[in-house]
Structures are given as structure tokens and as C-alpha cells.
Amino acid sequence: MGLCRAAVLLVALIGSCYGEQTLLLRKSQDTPSVESRFSVLKAPAYVNFMKTSVPLPASEVGPVSAFALGLASSKTLTWDGLAPGSLFHRPKASVMFVVDGVTSGDKLRINSQQSSQMTVNGATPASRMVNTVSSGKNLASHVSDLFGGSSLAVSMSSDKDAAVSAGARGKGSVSMFYDHASKQVVGTPASSPFAMNTEQIAANLAAIQLPSGFKFDQTSMAIVGNGVSVLSMAQEESASFLAELAALQNTLTKLSADSQMVKDNIPDVLTFTFSSLKKLHVQFGSDSPQVQAAMTILSTVIPQAADKLSTLYDGDAIVQVVEVAFNGASFLTHGSEVSALFSALADHRHAQTLTSFRADLPHIRLSHEASFEVACQNAQESVSSSSSLEVDCHASHDSSSNAAGRHILAVKPVVSNSTADSDMYNLAFVRGDDWTAAFTMFLIVFLIITLSTLAVCYVMWNMDPGSDSIIYRMTNQRIKMD
């Protein structure tokens, strides 16, 4: 197959830590891939990222954030760009801005030290890249479990899956996403103070300091640039982006008004995922005014939010930016072939609309109930001999693109669905990642206490009170007689 021919390999990937099956689309060598980027905007003085030419593996973005926060991870780091931290200081918060859908022509103009900017090696979905910290856990869940659910864990995105996958389930956790049906930002749990209706979305958008040449018009509910409406709430993809901006501003307002949320000794995890950028690429094109306006606005809004959050945490917050590459932009020219694959995977794909399906490219997410073999067969049958796409479900893939690392602790145990099954098969209960460490600590302490008790008992058993005890000798004195 020549290089000029657009060939795509559908490669089977191992499911992520959340049990998701994924197909990966790869172009032939005539189309270079776009690299993802990782930047650190703010960090305390005791957290040092060293200058290195080695790219950061995609599967280690989450563990690096955990180690920078002073926490351990079950994954072993191979990247050497993070220096050892302080034993006496720990950051109060980990803040991550995820811009999902950056192409070769996009560039976030953010100010960070050169040593804190690095490329990310591996074509990996954003949910896997930033959320894989330990087996079955993201950073927010990892921190929340360590501190009994008291950690503040905020996750925001217009996409529900992205918001939930980066969140936690503790009492201090909240996930926000945009509901297109009700045109509201919905919070999980439902009683979350971060939820917003249409009027609150408009009020928060009006409070944002937009870059020069842009302003929000509350009458038309749109951001106007140079007198022209570029991003409007009346358009679905644009509304998703505006809802993400409003949710970010609302979070900053709530945290500034209630200092008790951040003034504690428990580290917080805040994740803001802008997943609407890929949909803008799909709907309007990479060179459209909508995409250019979105990138310009993010280049201004993200540094402003980083400064405010760093001030709220008294400079003890790590603020990171992950620009996730959108290598699926080149597939958008194959409209008929992509539509055929979308129809062929109707009973197996995760995306419900063609726009979402195209936005996920080059990754095709399958539903949890889907049969991988049947999905591959349907995809092969949908591709004709004259098609410019080629389906290969059994080709080997680069291990760097798989964010779910091979680790003994990553093996998921089988969880029984009922107590009767557990009693019948005598199944062991599910243990966490820190079970081994906790068992070792309890065993060592038990042995120390037991041996100490035996030693004391032995000494006391063989003790002569008259000669070995100073108490009896001091109290058994003769009375002086004249």
C-alpha cells in the first residue's frame, strides 16, 4: 500500500482501567501525528520539575501528578523529570486543565518555565492519560480514599463521561457536566452548589475577563469577536464550550467565597476538562473562526484561573496543563467511510451521535456490553475493496499508546454479585492497593509489641524484689535509735 493512499488500521487495545474497550485508528506514515504537551504553570518551591529531553509517557501523566502531590502510586515511573520532593511540605492542591482536541495548528499561549514544558509520548485518550494513577483509580479517587472522602475533588467538563471519569465519590466530591436537553450545568450529587441554570451560566460568562476584541453579549447569549458572533449558546458545540467556561468561573467564585473549602490540611484535586474543542474542530473545521476564538480565549482564561487558584491556596498548589492531541482531524476528510463505520458499529459503539463518534477519532470507544470480535467483524464487512480504509483487528500495537500499564496490582479481582455466591464459592473479599503495606505495618507492630511484652514478663518473673528492685530497698530502712 503506497504512502499516498489513506490507510487506516483498526487496532485492538486492551481496555483501560475503567474496563473500556477501544479501537484505535492509525494513519499511514504520510500523515505525521500531533504530539500532546504537558506544562506546569504554578508549583511551590519545594516541587521541582527538572529539564529533560525525554518525553513524558502518556501512561505516567497521572502518576507524575500524584508523586508531585506527595502521594505514592502503584505504577513505577520511568520518566526522570520530577525531582524528589520535600519530606516536610506537601502541596495543598493539584489543579489540572485538560484541553482535549489540540491539532498541529493550535497553540496555547501560556507562560510557563521552559523546564516545565514537555511533550507527551503516546496516542492516548484524555480520560486514560490524566486519570490513570493506580489500578482502578484516578487521582481524585486516590486522594479521596486516602483521606476518608473528605478531600475536595472537583471535576468539570461538558462531556458527562469526562467529568465522571476524573471525579471521585467522597462526601467532598462533585462532578459537573452540561446537559444539552435542559441547557443547564448539572452537578453530581444533585444538591451540588456548583450546578447552574441558564441565567447563572450567562452571569458567569459575563464575569469572565475575555481577551481583547471579545465580549459576551447577554442578549444574544454569545461571545462576539470584532462585532461578529463566533460562539453562541444557540449552537450545540459552541454551547458546550461556553458552559465549560461558565463552570470554571463559577468554581472560582464558589471557592473564593467559602475559604473553608480550601483552608484545611487535606489536599484537594481540581480537574477542568475542555472536551468541547474536538467538537468545534469536527463541526466547523480546524481553521474556522470558532476554533481560533476558542484557543485565544483559553490562552487568556487558563492563566487567569491558575493565578487565582494559586492565590487561594497561598502558593501551595500545583497547576498543570495537558494539551491532548487530536490526531483524528485528518480522518474527517473520509466522511463516507467514517459514516459507514459509524453505522456498522451501531450496536457496539459508545458514541450515540456521528459528531461524538468523529470527535473521538482516532479512538473508537465500544460500549461495555459490546463483543469485541463481533464489532471487528462488522467493521470489516462495512469496508469494501475499493474503500480507502483498511481494517486490521489483530495487528500489534505500540505499547506506548496503551495507558493501562502492565502491573501485578492492576489485575482486577472478580467481584461476586451476591452474598450467596460468595459463601458458595468461598471467595475472598476485594482488597485495595494499600492492603499489602497495611498488613506489613500491622505485622511488624504486632511482633514488636509481642516480643517486648515477653521480654518484660521474663525479666519480672526472674526478678528478686529484695536485690533487684530499688523500690523495696528504699522502703525497707531501719529506724534510727538513740
Side-chain angles (χ1 to χ4, degrees), residues 35-326:
E35 291 182 332
S36 301
R37 292 183 288 269
F38 176 83
S39 305
V40 180
L41 295 188
K42 302 285 183 179
Y46 48 84
V47 178
N48 299 316
F49 287 87
M50 300 180 296
K51 183 178 294 185
T52 177
S53 59
V54 179
L56 174 62
S59 60
E60 297 184 6
V61 173
V64 165
S65 299
F67 280 111
L69 196 57
L71 304 175
S73 173
S74 62
K75 291 196 171 184
T76 303
L77 286 182
T78 60
W79 185 67
D80 58 355
L82 179 62
S86 173
L87 295 176
F88 307 101
H89 296 88
R90 182 178 59 194
K92 297 179 180 178
S94 175
V95 182
M96 181 172 291
F97 294 94
V98 182
V99 182
D100 189 8
V102 177
T103 63
S104 57
D106 299 331
K107 178 65 177 178
L108 275 180
R109 294 180 292 274
I110 53 179
N111 296 323
S112 63
Q113 297 180 355
Q114 187 66 27
S115 60
S116 300
Q117 293 179 338
M118 59 216 72
T119 58
V120 178
N121 184 25
T124 306
S127 59
R128 293 184 183 181
M129 184 182 298
V130 302
N131 294 333
T132 307
V133 173
S134 60
S135 58
K137 292 183 182 179
N138 55 26
L139 180 59
S141 298
H142 187 55
V143 176
S144 180
D145 292 346
L146 287 176
F147 294 92
S150 300
S151 174
L152 176 64
V154 177
S155 176
M156 178 279 301
S157 178
S158 61
D159 182 69
K160 181 179 180 180
D161 292 337
V164 174
S165 64
R169 297 183 178 181
K171 58 184 178 181
S173 305
V174 58
S175 300
M176 296 171 286
F177 59 91
Y178 183 64
D179 183 26
H180 291 278
S182 62
K183 299 186 182 301
Q184 296 180 352
V185 173
V186 181
T188 304
S191 59
S192 170
F194 294 91
M196 293 183 294
N197 54 31
T198 305
E199 291 76 15
Q200 292 171 324
I201 293 176
N204 280 280
L205 287 173
I208 299 177
Q209 297 180 4
L210 297 175
S212 177
F214 294 91
K215 67 176 183 179
F216 178 71
D217 185 10
Q218 288 187 292
T219 303
S220 60
M221 294 288 290
I223 289 182
V224 180
N226 298 323
V228 180
S229 176
V230 288
L231 297 168
S232 173
M233 290 293 295
Q235 206 280 328
E236 181 175 339
E237 288 74 20
S238 298
S240 298
F241 178 75
L242 295 179
E244 290 172 343
L245 291 178
L248 173 60
Q249 177 63 31
N250 185 47
T251 302
L252 296 176
T253 303
K254 296 292 185 183
L255 295 181
S256 301
D258 189 0
S259 60
Q260 297 299 323
M261 290 186 179
V262 299
K263 302 297 183 181
D264 53 28
N265 296 322
I266 301 176
D268 302 331
V269 179
L270 289 77
T271 307
F272 304 98
T273 305
F274 293 89
S275 58
S276 58
L277 187 60
K278 289 197 299 185
K279 296 181 180 180
L280 293 177
H281 278 286
V282 172
Q283 183 67 25
F284 301 106
S286 300
D287 298 328
S288 62
Q290 290 81 1
V291 173
Q292 300 303 319
M295 293 300 299
T296 302
I297 293 173
L298 289 178
S299 299
T300 300
V301 171
I302 290 179
Q304 290 177 355
D307 292 336
K308 293 180 181 178
L309 290 170
S310 180
T311 303
L312 281 175
Y313 286 96
D314 300 326
D316 286 332
I318 304 176
V319 183
Q320 309 143 97
V321 178
V322 180
E323 302 172 59
V324 183
F326 180 35

Side-chain angles (χ1 to χ4, degrees), residues 306-386:
D307 292 336
K308 293 180 181 178
L309 290 170
S310 180
T311 303
L312 281 175
Y313 286 96
D314 300 326
D316 286 332
I318 304 176
V319 183
Q320 309 143 97
V321 178
V322 180
E323 302 172 59
V324 183
F326 180 35
N327 288 298
S330 58
F331 294 100
L332 301 180
T333 57
H334 305 278
S336 58
E337 290 90 346
V338 173
S339 298
L341 284 175
F342 176 78
S343 301
L345 299 174
D347 298 331
H348 309 281
R349 50 179 162 77
H350 179 272
Q352 300 299 318
T353 63
L354 180 59
T355 300
S356 300
F357 183 80
R358 297 170 70 188
D360 286 338
L361 295 178
H363 303 276
I364 299 178
R365 293 185 295 168
L366 303 180
S367 62
H368 294 285
E369 298 80 11
S371 171
F372 182 77
E373 292 75 11
V374 176
C376 288
Q377 181 180 357
N378 290 351
Q380 289 175 340
E381 293 175 353
S382 69
V383 179
S384 62
S385 58
S386 60

